[in-house]
Amino acid sequence: MNLRAHIENIKYSLGLSERYCTQELYNKFNEYNKKYFNNELPSIPIYVDNTISPVNGKFISDINIENKMIVPVSILINKSNLINEQDLLDTFIHEMVHYLECIKYQPTKELWNKALEIYNDHQDHVCE
């Protein structure tokens, strides 16, 4: 685990966060990345977050409008919903596919321009 993971675990232990990290999830990510994705996915923060119910997992990304990019942020796993290894595999693979789509299939220039138009229009109304 990296420094970010340790910080999240400290925040969790102090009651400041509902997320924590486990080496088990990083090991599973590496195993599945090698087996199903030819190690194409770079490391990403992975958190246990049992508050995202009713979903089993969630891929989090952010939009960087200035650079016209969708940026991967983290993967959340709701272990309280997962009953067995197959559930974990299915959930993790599903979220890893979202991650792969994020890094391989960014929106086109036309879609970004439309998004920027909508964003700017919204900003104009907020500032009024």
Side-chain angles (χ1 to χ4, degrees):
M1 281 187 283
N2 59 26
L3 180 59
R4 179 182 285 166
H6 287 296
I7 291 170
E8 278 301 318
N9 286 349
I10 290 168
K11 286 169 48 181
Y12 178 79
S13 68
L14 296 173
L16 302 174
S17 173
E18 295 177 339
R19 296 179 180 168
Y20 62 94
C21 303
T22 68
Q23 189 61 48
E24 169 202 11
L25 289 182
Y26 283 100
N27 293 345
K28 289 294 179 188
F29 176 87
N30 291 333
E31 175 188 334
Y32 300 156
N33 191 21
K34 182 178 180 181
K35 187 172 183 177
Y36 301 109
F37 297 92
N38 296 321
N39 281 325
E40 289 186 53
L41 298 173
S43 292
I44 187 170
I46 303 164
Y47 302 112
V48 174
D49 187 333
N50 295 328
T51 66
I52 60 173
S53 217
V55 298
N56 293 339
K58 191 172 188 179
F59 170 72
I60 306 292
S61 61
D62 197 7
I63 296 173
N64 183 323
I65 291 182
E66 292 174 1
N67 294 334
K68 298 182 179 178
M69 290 184 65
I70 298 176
V71 181
V73 174
S74 62
I75 293 175
L76 307 180
I77 300 294
N78 182 352
K79 287 181 80 173
S80 67
N81 283 2
L82 305 177
I83 308 223
N84 56 42
E85 182 74 19
Q86 188 63 46
D87 287 346
L88 179 62
L89 171 67
D90 293 345
T91 300
F92 228 133
I93 295 298
H94 178 92
E95 302 315 325
M96 291 171 82
V97 167
H98 287 304
Y99 181 23
L100 182 67
E101 289 171 338
C102 179
I103 61 176
K104 286 204 165 223
Y105 305 108
Q106 291 284 320
T108 64
K109 182 179 177 182
E110 293 78 22
L111 286 173
W112 274 114
N113 289 339
K114 183 64 177 171
L116 283 170
E117 182 182 312
I118 293 167
Y119 175 79
N120 290 332
D121 184 53
H122 174 72
Q123 293 296 60
D124 291 341
H125 293 295
V126 171
C127 294
E128 291 176 351

